[in-house]
Amino acid sequence: MNYIVVHKPAQLIQKVITSSTTPTPTPSNDYSFYEVSIIVLNHFYKLHKKAIAKGVHVSVGELMHSCPSFREQVSNGKQSKVQIVTTRYR
């Protein structure tokens, strides 16, 4: 199974790992793990390729915006009125 590792305070995707068992959270609970399919990984790698060219990480919001199935998984069916802002300050 493939998992995306998300840094909770920054909401940035740190890496993708493959494991046969569910990863255990760190003692500080700074990271969360989401099991993802190949389709979500394809969306992530497209965003990651663009982000590397800019020298930044992919945020969870960007992946949720580009892949509705990941949005459903992260939000657990909750709906909100939050709008995604992708402004980056230099």
Side-chain angles (χ1 to χ4, degrees):
M1 293 183 229
N2 298 312
Y3 294 91
I4 286 182
V5 181
V6 177
H7 186 252
K8 286 182 185 179
Q11 290 296 306
L12 296 175
I13 298 173
Q14 297 296 312
K15 59 185 169 181
V16 176
I17 59 172
T18 303
S19 175
S20 59
T21 61
T22 305
T24 57
T26 58
S28 63
N29 266 345
D30 282 346
Y31 297 96
S32 58
F33 302 94
Y34 295 102
E35 183 180 346
V36 293
S37 65
I38 297 297
I39 296 168
V40 176
L41 282 179
N42 288 337
H43 283 278
F44 168 71
Y45 286 128
K46 286 179 187 176
L47 291 172
H48 185 65
K49 185 176 179 181
K50 292 177 185 176
I52 288 217
K54 295 178 183 178
V56 296
H57 286 280
V58 178
S59 72
V60 173
E62 289 174 310
L63 186 58
M64 288 172 62
H65 182 69
S66 71
C67 187
S69 63
F70 184 68
R71 180 182 336 143
E72 288 297 319
Q73 181 180 358
V74 171
S75 65
N76 293 328
K78 298 176 186 173
Q79 292 185 357
S80 66
K81 298 177 184 177
V82 176
Q83 300 229 350
I84 298 172
V85 178
T86 57
T87 306
R88 298 189 193 275
Y89 296 100
R90 293 181 185 206

